[in-house]
Amino acid sequence: MPLYRICFQKTGPASYLSHLDLVRVMERSARRAGLPLAYSEGFNPHPKMAFASPLPVGISGEEELADIELENEVTADSIMEGLNRSLPDGLAVRRVRRVEGGGRSLMAQVQTSVYRLTGQLDAPLEPEELNQVIERLLARETISVTRRIKDKTRIVDVRPAIVALSGVCNGLVVDLSIAAAIGVRPQDVLTALVEEGLPADPAVFTPVRLAVFGAGPLY
Amino acid sequence: MLDNILRRVQKPARYVGGEWNACVKDWAKTPLRVAFCFPDVYEVGMSYPGLQILYQLGNRREDVLWERVFAPWPDMEEELRKAGVPLFSLESKKALREFDIVAFTLQYELTATNILNMLDLGGIPLWASERKDGDPLVMAGGPCAFNPEPLAPFFDAFVLGEGEEVMEEVLAACRETGDRAGRLARLAGIRGVYLPNLYDVSYREDGRVASVVPRPGASPKVTKRVVADLDRQAPPVRPVIPSTAVIHDRVTLEVFRGCTHGCRFCQAGIIYRPVRERSLPLLLKAAGEVLEDTGLDEISLVSLSTTDYSDIGPLMRGIADRWGPTGVNVSLPSLRVDAFAVDLAREARRGRGGSLTFAPEAGTQRLRDVINKGVTEADLTTAVTAAFTAGWQAVKLYFMIGLPTETSEDVAGIVDLVQKVVAAGRSAGVPPARLKVTASVSSFVPKAHTPFQWEGQDERTELLAKQAYLREHLRLKHVAFNWHDPEAGFLEAVLARGDRRLAPVIERAWAKGCRFDGWSEWFRPLWWEEAFRETGLSADWYAYQRYDYGDTLPWDHLDCGVDRSFLIEEHRRALAGEATADCRNGECAGCGLCPALEVEPISRRKTT
């Protein structure tokens, strides 16, 4: 059955929806739009939708990806138009195209996320100083981060997962770009930068995921 | 700044709005602004069908905006206070104090401290007497408005009865008059609106109410409003649909209002009389509209006793035929105890699991006759057998302990009934590993305007002993026993039967930090005890007080439409163990409501 890849934005109030919420909202919106969703077999049928990579609650996404399977072919335009009139605030479909099914799942293909973190510093930095902080971080062999999963605490090294890191600053405002493997939170990188001397409180930064990539572009 | 706060709290989506069908109007261009305040957390409030009715009604007028505010969870409250951010509405994000009208719904007595907390966080003076021009009108409706006295000093007005018609009148009055005093004066003239400060309450030596005296211009009694013809009130077909999981993720369709079975403990049965059904064509059309608009796959047919609806079969079949193929399920709330009801539930089920719920309420026939719950043991076994045979594997049974005239035999009867239901399950061939019977037992709370309003609640020690007995004897295979904290039930009784002297107690409890008293993880009975002690009032007195027929009750000046003599007669019949028939299809029992309010029962089926 035909598979469609949708590229959508998840911002504003929708950035506070969990991934499970998002799945539910997509299903309902597709129903409202009259799209013939394909459902799985079995006792508890669910719609055949696959998302590239769950976004943590509180982080917006500009180009999120999901594959949805429909019972029959419809035009990409009608999917986009239908969903856009049926989605709650903060969710909007940017592009839709038909893709071939049968390959690896979208989630299996995702390798990297690109984030942008914007915020205010506690003290102004020269662009040179910012670059030095970044270089010091990238020069480290390991960057340890504590992860709490339910009751267990694990220490994880996120250095290998950081693919690229750069930033610009102007007085008190700083704008960072991070490309990292899935599993690294932008907040972790920010905390590590603070350890290296960035004069900032991680809590005041607004993270946005700009895109996800596989070996190449995924859309 | 709000984003920073939101990232630090649990379930931030509770506070952001943006849901399907949320209505955000132009604040600057809309003259009358109403904040509908549900004094519990978002997930509970969004499952309340009344919210959708009023939201639709308020926003229908172009010159009115009607927005939602829910009680902030304690973590959010802390953040709001720390940041100095007032409590705000989900739609415009405006502070509560900026609205013209702040309208609460009183669904449950234990939301009292949340109400005060929301007013405080919203920047509104708690005491009505302290409010000035520029402060919003603070009003409330809902079932607890039938005895709102413990909260009376905090409110400018209460609305008694059904909201649809009276709220239109309230909105119109507030559009025509701009200032606070003017609006209150207009409200005083609207039928069904109760302004507590127009009544002076005095007390006897023994603590009971001596009199409730209206001031000049106020009528001695305030009578509830009732919508005579529900077909003339469109059901909400564009409800706000949460994007997050809430208690009930389904659309509701209100099939009829009122219930005249006459169960004597039930306040809803009195305050929503008479029965008024909606017509089948209207319901089918509304079902289609709401399912199409929302994209949800479950529709719940709600009322106080849905399987009594005259055209229930055609209604369910109509929805199932048209919408079943797209995966829509119809659900029914607690079923009347008979096989017919089970049949219907089976039609609705279409292959999903879950359990069926029945409410026998009492363990022996004698006690069921006392409370006028017309269910026999044979009815129950037939119904559960039908359920098990149809493929259900789990059944839930609701009971109460502490009912008037209850003896240990009656409590033992609960165990007996549960065992019989289990036996029925085994006989019907339910796989033993899956058979589950849940007995959910709560403590009886005597409610205003019921035949039991003169009765006191069972003492806490008694209730604990009865629960211990049940816990021990229901330790059986296939049986789960759920019970409610008697301390919470006790406080509910105090507030349900209370008078205005309790207002300072509520304020103290709130000041000490009481919130979400209906939630076991937040309930602090010790702080409430302190609040009572410091105010010099006895909680026991309120909960356990037995009244005489001649006494003035704290809520007597609020008229539910039913004659006092009828309630007295029903109380006498209860003590004598005599049943009273349902007036929907049979004889009129003479409660007095229909002639008094000029309404009549609307039931599409004229013969049984």
Side-chain angles (χ1 to χ4, degrees):
Chain A
M1 282 181 276
L3 195 65
Y4 297 85
R5 184 153 298 171
I6 60 171
C7 174
F8 63 95
Q9 195 184 31
K10 182 177 184 275
T11 73
S15 52
Y16 295 103
L17 300 181
S18 71
H19 186 67
L20 284 178
D21 292 333
L22 177 65
V23 173
R24 189 183 321 114
V25 167
M26 279 297 182
E27 178 188 356
R28 279 196 197 141
S29 304
R31 286 177 72 101
R32 279 176 213 140
L35 295 175
L37 286 175
Y39 279 81
S40 64
E41 313 278 310
F43 193 65
N44 209 358
H46 53 264
K48 289 176 159 184
M49 293 189 300
F51 289 78
S53 167
L55 264 176
V57 170
I59 298 184
S60 324
E62 289 294 331
E63 311 246 326
E64 296 299 301
L65 299 177
D67 285 348
I68 60 173
E69 195 175 314
L70 298 183
E71 287 279 319
N72 43 262
E73 273 203 47
V74 299
T75 65
D77 271 351
S78 67
I79 296 176
M80 182 156 130
E81 188 271 329
L83 284 177
N84 279 337
R85 87 181 126 72
S86 311
L87 287 166
D89 288 358
L91 286 170
V93 175
R94 292 178 177 277
R95 295 183 285 287
V96 179
R97 68 180 177 87
R98 177 91 189 265
V99 292
E100 281 310 305
R104 290 163 69 209
S105 76
L106 191 51
M107 193 172 277
Q109 292 179 58
V110 171
Q111 291 181 9
T112 326
S113 289
V114 177
Y115 292 97
R116 187 170 155 208
L117 279 168
T118 324
Q120 271 227 337
L121 298 170
D122 295 333
L125 268 191
E126 292 299 315
E128 252 310 294
E129 296 173 287
L130 177 62
N131 286 335
Q132 281 163 14
V133 170
I134 291 173
E135 269 163 45
R136 277 202 296 278
L137 183 66
L138 293 177
R140 272 165 65 172
E141 294 261 327
T142 58
I143 300 176
S144 297
V145 155
T146 317
R147 278 291 155 74
R148 225 164 311 152
I149 303 173
K150 302 259 166 128
D151 292 329
K152 293 203 299 207
T153 315
R154 280 186 60 205
I155 312 233
V156 173
D157 175 18
V158 299
R159 178 62 190 92
I162 299 178
V163 173
L165 174 59
S166 66
V168 293
C169 62
N170 190 352
L172 283 176
V173 178
V174 69
D175 202 324
L176 299 164
S177 294
I178 305 169
I182 299 300
V184 175
R185 296 191 165 213
Q187 223 57 19
D188 297 336
V189 177
L190 193 49
T191 308
L193 280 171
V194 169
E195 278 167 20
E196 288 303 330
L198 184 74
D201 173 11
V204 311
F205 277 69
T206 309
V208 176
R209 180 153 75 184
L210 297 179
V212 288
F213 293 94
L218 285 171
Y219 181 81
Chain B
M1 193 224 319
L2 192 58
D3 281 326
N4 287 331
I5 293 177
L6 291 173
R7 257 180 244 125
R8 284 202 280 272
V9 299
Q10 273 181 48
K11 304 197 184 171
R14 286 168 169 160
Y15 313 103
V16 303
E19 311 99 316
W20 179 251
N21 286 334
C23 179
V24 185
K25 292 190 177 176
D26 187 332
W27 183 267
K29 296 204 177 115
T30 314
L32 190 62
R33 302 147 174 167
V34 182
F36 179 75
C37 297
F38 190 92
D40 209 318
V41 75
Y42 176 86
E43 294 88 273
V44 175
M46 285 307 295
S47 305
Y48 166 54
L51 179 151
Q52 309 288 4
I53 296 173
L54 293 172
Y55 196 80
Q56 170 181 271
L57 186 142
N59 283 317
R60 199 159 50 206
R61 280 183 72 133
E62 262 190 51
D63 54 354
V64 175
L65 58 77
W66 184 285
E67 303 193 345
R68 296 162 297 151
V69 187
F70 298 93
W73 201 243
D75 60 354
M76 181 62 165
E77 176 189 346
E78 194 184 321
E79 294 291 337
L80 290 174
R81 289 194 189 276
K82 230 168 36 191
V85 172
L87 184 62
F88 55 87
S89 64
L90 265 59
E91 285 81 354
S92 298
K93 312 292 192 289
K94 292 284 186 179
L96 212 49
R97 62 173 169 243
E98 298 195 51
F99 286 80
D100 295 287
I101 299 177
V102 165
F104 283 89
T105 179
L106 306 177
Q107 294 290 312
Y108 178 36
E109 291 82 355
L110 299 194
T111 57
T113 54
N114 279 356
I115 292 171
L116 295 190
N117 202 34
M118 289 171 77
L119 286 173
D120 183 66
L121 281 169
I124 298 172
L126 295 186
W127 299 88
S129 53
E130 289 172 3
R131 288 174 204 140
K132 306 198 230 317
D133 240 355
D135 287 322
L137 287 188
V138 180
M139 321 179 44
C144 299
F146 280 91
N147 179 28
E149 294 300 294
L151 288 172
F154 304 117
F155 281 90
D156 298 310
F158 294 101
V159 172
L160 262 53
E162 295 164 13
E164 287 96 334
E165 288 163 2
V166 63
M167 281 316 290
E168 292 207 24
E169 292 164 24
V170 167
L171 293 175
C174 291
R175 278 292 289 127
E176 288 158 23
T177 325
D179 64 300
R180 198 178 152 76
R183 283 174 171 170
L184 286 172
R186 290 290 307 270
L187 256 47
I190 297 177
R191 236 178 357 113
V193 179
Y194 164 49
L195 269 62
N197 84 330
L198 294 184
Y199 296 81
D200 296 307
V201 187
S202 57
Y203 302 92
R204 289 168 16 187
E205 279 282 315
D206 65 3
R208 302 181 200 191
V209 170
S211 65
V212 178
V213 177
R215 295 200 185 158
S219 50
K221 282 191 182 216
V222 179
T223 304
K224 77 165 190 183
R225 292 293 294 263
V226 57
V227 173
D229 182 358
L230 275 179
D231 269 1
R232 297 184 59 187
Q233 293 292 339
V237 291
R238 304 209 48 185
V240 181
I241 301 296
S243 303
T244 49
V246 293
I247 307 294
H248 291 308
D249 267 316
R250 53 197 187 207
V251 292
T252 60
L253 187 59
E254 188 182 12
V255 162
F256 66 86
R257 222 169 267 183
C259 170
T260 42
H261 286 312
C263 304
R264 292 172 177 140
F265 55 84
C266 178
Q267 188 187 57
I270 297 286
I271 65 182
Y272 292 109
R273 293 187 172 213
V275 170
R276 289 145 292 141
E277 295 188 346
R278 283 193 157 118
S279 62
L280 181 64
L282 181 141
L283 289 173
L284 285 171
K285 178 158 178 280
E289 284 175 24
V290 75
L291 286 169
E292 186 133 351
D293 175 271
T294 61
L296 263 65
D297 61 5
E298 188 173 340
I299 179 165
S300 178
L301 304 178
V302 296
S303 70
L304 290 169
S305 182
T306 302
T307 45
D308 287 343
Y309 178 62
S310 300
D311 291 316
I312 184 67
L315 176 60
M316 289 181 59
R317 274 190 289 280
I319 296 174
D321 287 348
R322 166 71 184 83
W323 294 93
T326 65
V328 169
N329 276 288
V330 178
S331 71
L332 301 169
S334 162
L335 298 181
R336 197 180 65 206
V337 183
D338 63 30
F340 170 66
V342 177
D343 245 359
L344 287 174
R346 196 191 60 222
E347 277 200 41
R349 195 169 143 248
R350 310 245 158 160
R352 289 224 298 231
S355 71
L356 276 192
T357 304
F358 299 99
E361 305 293 9
T364 58
Q365 195 57 49
R366 186 203 71 83
L367 190 52
R368 284 193 296 273
D369 288 342
V370 167
I371 65 179
N372 207 33
K373 185 90 198 195
V375 165
T376 65
E377 189 176 298
D379 288 332
L380 183 62
T381 32
T382 309
V384 299
T385 302
F388 291 132
T389 314
W392 270 279
Q393 299 171 330
V395 149
K396 196 173 198 179
L397 303 170
Y398 282 128
F399 290 100
M400 274 186 284
I401 46 173
L403 289 164
T405 76
E406 182 177 78
T407 65
S408 49
E409 254 180 36
D410 300 307
V411 182
I414 293 176
V415 177
D416 186 56
L417 268 187
V418 171
Q419 287 175 323
K420 293 200 161 101
V421 170
V422 171
R426 304 199 71 155
S427 299
V430 179
R434 321 220 72 161
L435 174 60
K436 183 162 175 221
V437 177
T438 304
S440 188
V441 181
S442 59
S443 307
F444 167 65
V445 175
K447 294 274 172 158
H449 306 286
T450 63
F452 290 148
Q453 63 181 358
W454 293 278
E455 296 280 342
Q457 191 184 45
D458 219 8
E459 297 211 9
R460 275 168 292 181
T461 43
E462 273 295 301
L463 293 172
L464 281 167
K466 289 171 182 175
Q467 278 182 350
Y469 174 90
L470 288 172
R471 196 172 305 118
E472 159 125 14
H473 289 81
L474 288 176
R475 207 169 279 143
L476 304 165
K477 267 192 88 172
H478 314 294
V479 174
F481 171 50
N482 291 343
W483 69 93
H484 295 217
D485 179 7
E487 284 297 332
F490 172 75
L491 184 60
E492 187 185 334
V494 171
L495 295 173
R497 312 182 78 217
D499 55 47
R500 296 182 185 190
R501 294 172 296 182
L502 290 178
V505 178
I506 297 173
E507 198 211 6
R508 263 182 197 261
W510 164 76
K512 287 177 191 294
C514 288
R515 309 277 185 276
F516 291 99
D517 298 305
W519 293 69
S520 56
E521 72 255 44
W522 295 107
F523 183 45
R524 299 283 184 272
L526 288 177
W527 291 347
W528 277 97
E529 257 173 61
E530 276 173 29
F532 275 100
R533 206 168 36 240
E534 288 164 20
T535 321
L537 287 175
S538 160
D540 283 8
W541 187 88
Y542 283 97
Y544 302 150
Q545 183 67 223
R546 298 204 73 208
Y547 286 104
D548 300 319
Y549 296 145
D551 288 329
T552 304
L553 303 171
W555 52 84
D556 272 347
H557 56 296
L558 303 170
D559 181 17
C560 62
V562 156
D563 287 341
R564 187 193 186 74
S565 54
F566 171 75
L567 293 178
I568 290 174
E569 178 58 20
E570 278 296 296
H571 185 236
R572 290 207 172 108
R573 290 173 71 92
L575 297 178
E578 288 167 23
T580 300
D582 186 337
C583 74
R584 174 204 266 265
N585 302 311
E587 295 171 28
C588 166
C591 76
L593 182 133
C594 293
L597 299 184
E598 291 170 7
V599 286
E600 57 170 17
I602 297 182
S603 173
R604 311 287 155 173
R605 181 180 56 200
K606 291 302 174 192
T607 55
T608 310

